[in-house]
Amino acid sequence: MKNYEKESLLKNFFVFFSLLEILLILLFIELHRNKETDYRNALLKEMQICSYSLKCPKFSFDFAPKGPDNFNALYEENDIHAHFSIPKSEKYSLRISYSLDKLKSDLKEIRQSLWIQFILISLLIVALALFFTFYTLQPIRKALKLNDEFIKDILHDFNTPITAMILNIKMCRDEQGETPFIVRLSKSIENLLQLQNNLKSFLHNSPSQNESFDVGHLIEERFKNIQNIYPHLRYKFTQRNRLIKTTNRELLVRIVDNLLTNAAKYNKPNGSVSVTISDTQVIIQDTGKGIKDIEKAFQRYYKEQDRGIGLGLHIVNKLCNELNIKISIESKINQGTKVTLDFSKLLGNIS
């Protein structure tokens, strides 16, 4: 089960279970009240019967002066008792009492019985919530499966034109040499291959082969690559310290390429892109259009531009989570975007 399916499963289960459990709690509160009321009524009726025979060892009997207390009603002081009239007696009434300790013990048994029922029904609710959760998840999983199959078909269709372009570029290079035009075309094809790899990462679990290397050196290489593809922008690279970390080089390249491509692609004419390496952070900043809703930026298929399919930042966030790299975004409309990658949780050192 994929991460987004697990997230959907947990959220749906929480909603179903919470609603049913709240309803169950309210029902048992009312049931407890009714059970206690029924118990007291039954106790009063038992006292009434005992007032005729006086043969009830569980109760205590005494005579009490008649007062304002109502007959045939329970009163709770040092014990729980009721008063009953005595035929041909105008001064005294019969007082039948029951120990408070015994009363508390009886009420405790009622509560324990209710708790056992509550736990059993709660377990049933867990099973029902899981059933309804999986049931409602099925249509979503089918839709996502169709979507994944569609992307697989696109990846397969990519192979033929990309292979043809690579062969044609090779022929042009053999005939004309390494011209700036051919270099730009080669870099564009590399970007297509990178996009293809991103889509593969989206569909499948990524490899986890780690190695120790200079993150700054890798980012500087990718930064120069973007300059060749988008030469109309201004670029600035600043490395204040070496950043040696142990991680997956291939996945980090995908993260950096996606972020640098976005910074260049959605920039203003004659805008700028800067990369700064400071301590354990890599900061990528541009002067582009900005992001309206940062909270949705990492969501699957979310996009604010006509171009693209809304997977770039989603894949970046997914890969950052896999590599344990913290990513944060700050953005202002028509002023630019700042993306910070924090490598502090990775093994390695700075110098």
Side-chain angles (χ1 to χ4, degrees):
M1 186 178 289
K2 297 181 179 179
N3 289 335
Y4 54 81
E5 291 178 323
K6 291 179 183 177
E7 183 181 356
S8 178
L9 177 68
L10 290 174
K11 287 182 178 179
N12 288 340
F13 173 78
F14 177 77
V15 170
F16 282 126
F17 178 76
S18 299
L19 291 176
L20 292 174
E21 195 69 9
I22 289 171
L23 179 61
L24 181 66
I25 290 171
L26 294 176
L27 288 174
F28 266 81
I29 289 174
E30 186 62 26
L31 181 61
H32 177 264
R33 263 194 220 123
N34 293 336
K35 284 277 188 182
E36 188 170 331
T37 301
D38 291 344
Y39 168 80
R40 291 177 181 273
N41 290 336
L43 189 65
L44 179 60
K45 287 181 181 179
E46 197 172 349
M47 287 179 174
Q48 287 174 336
I49 295 172
C50 286
S51 68
Y52 296 109
S53 63
L54 303 181
K55 294 180 179 180
C56 300
K58 64 186 290 185
F59 297 117
S60 300
F61 301 92
D62 199 0
F63 295 101
K66 285 186 177 180
D69 293 343
N70 293 327
F71 290 119
N72 300 327
L74 285 175
Y75 295 93
E76 192 170 327
E77 294 173 0
N78 296 324
D79 54 18
I80 186 166
H81 62 270
H83 294 271
F84 300 94
S85 62
I86 301 175
K88 299 181 181 181
S89 176
E90 297 179 357
K91 294 183 179 180
Y92 296 97
S93 62
L94 179 63
R95 186 179 189 272
I96 301 179
S97 58
Y98 188 64
S99 169
L100 274 181
D101 291 337
K102 292 180 180 178
L103 173 69
K104 291 177 181 178
S105 177
D106 293 343
L107 293 177
K108 183 179 179 181
E109 287 182 9
I110 292 174
R111 284 193 293 270
Q112 287 177 342
S113 175
L114 289 174
W115 269 113
I116 292 172
Q117 296 177 45
F118 178 81
I119 292 170
L120 291 175
I121 296 176
S122 293
L123 292 175
L124 179 61
I125 286 176
V126 169
L128 287 173
L130 283 172
F131 171 77
F132 283 120
T133 299
F134 278 105
Y135 181 76
T136 55
L137 195 61
Q138 288 305 313
I140 299 174
R141 297 186 74 177
K142 287 180 181 179
L144 292 174
K145 184 178 179 181
L146 289 174
N147 180 73
D148 290 347
E149 290 176 354
F150 172 71
I151 294 177
K152 287 178 182 178
D153 292 339
I154 291 177
L155 287 173
H156 181 267
D157 292 340
F158 271 176
N159 291 330
T160 301
I162 289 176
T163 302
M165 284 189 288
I166 292 174
L167 290 174
N168 280 286
I169 287 293
K170 186 177 183 303
M171 292 171 59
C172 291
R173 185 179 284 113
D174 292 340
E175 292 178 4
Q176 303 179 19
E178 195 77 7
T179 65
F181 176 72
I182 291 177
V183 170
R184 284 196 294 271
L185 285 178
S186 298
K187 296 299 182 182
S188 297
I189 292 174
E190 286 181 12
N191 281 342
L192 284 175
L193 291 172
Q194 187 64 39
L195 175 59
Q196 192 178 37
N197 289 331
N198 285 340
L199 292 174
K200 288 179 181 177
S201 299
F202 174 73
L203 292 173
H204 308 290
N205 290 328
S206 303
S208 57
Q209 297 177 355
N210 294 335
E211 58 182 297
S212 182
F213 57 92
D214 188 339
V215 173
H217 181 66
L218 181 145
I219 293 176
E220 187 176 15
E221 287 181 354
R222 309 315 300 175
F223 194 61
K224 291 178 180 177
N225 180 46
I226 290 296
Q227 293 180 52
N228 291 327
I229 300 172
Y230 299 93
H232 59 283
L233 299 173
R234 291 175 285 111
Y235 297 91
K236 182 180 180 182
F237 181 83
T238 304
Q239 184 169 0
R240 295 173 181 163
N241 54 265
R242 294 186 69 199
L243 183 60
I244 310 296
K245 289 292 179 179
T246 301
T247 187
N248 187 292
R249 179 188 291 268
E250 180 185 346
L251 299 189
L252 184 57
V253 167
R254 294 180 190 175
I255 292 171
V256 173
D257 280 357
N258 268 293
L259 294 175
L260 290 176
T261 300
N262 283 348
K265 185 191 300 182
Y266 301 113
N267 217 314
K268 298 176 182 178
N270 300 317
S272 66
V273 178
S274 67
V275 173
T276 302
I277 299 175
S278 178
D279 292 330
T280 60
Q281 291 186 340
V282 175
I283 301 170
I284 301 173
Q285 198 161 2
D286 64 64
T287 57
K289 300 177 181 179
I291 301 173
K292 295 178 182 177
D293 196 338
I294 296 178
E295 293 182 359
K296 294 182 179 179
F298 292 132
Q299 290 183 8
R300 190 182 184 191
Y301 301 129
Y302 177 76
K303 61 177 184 175
E304 297 178 351
Q305 313 295 334
D306 294 333
R307 292 183 290 178
I309 56 176
L311 285 176
L313 286 178
H314 173 76
I315 293 171
V316 165
N317 187 52
K318 177 176 178 288
L319 296 179
C320 283
N321 289 335
E322 289 184 18
L323 299 184
N324 205 18
I325 298 172
K326 183 180 179 182
I327 181 171
S328 59
I329 298 180
E330 301 173 29
S331 187
K332 292 183 179 180
I333 297 299
N334 296 323
Q335 293 186 31
T337 301
K338 176 183 176 183
V339 180
T340 302
L341 299 175
D342 190 345
F343 293 78
S344 58
K345 294 183 178 180
L346 300 184
L347 295 176
N349 57 74
I350 59 176
S351 59

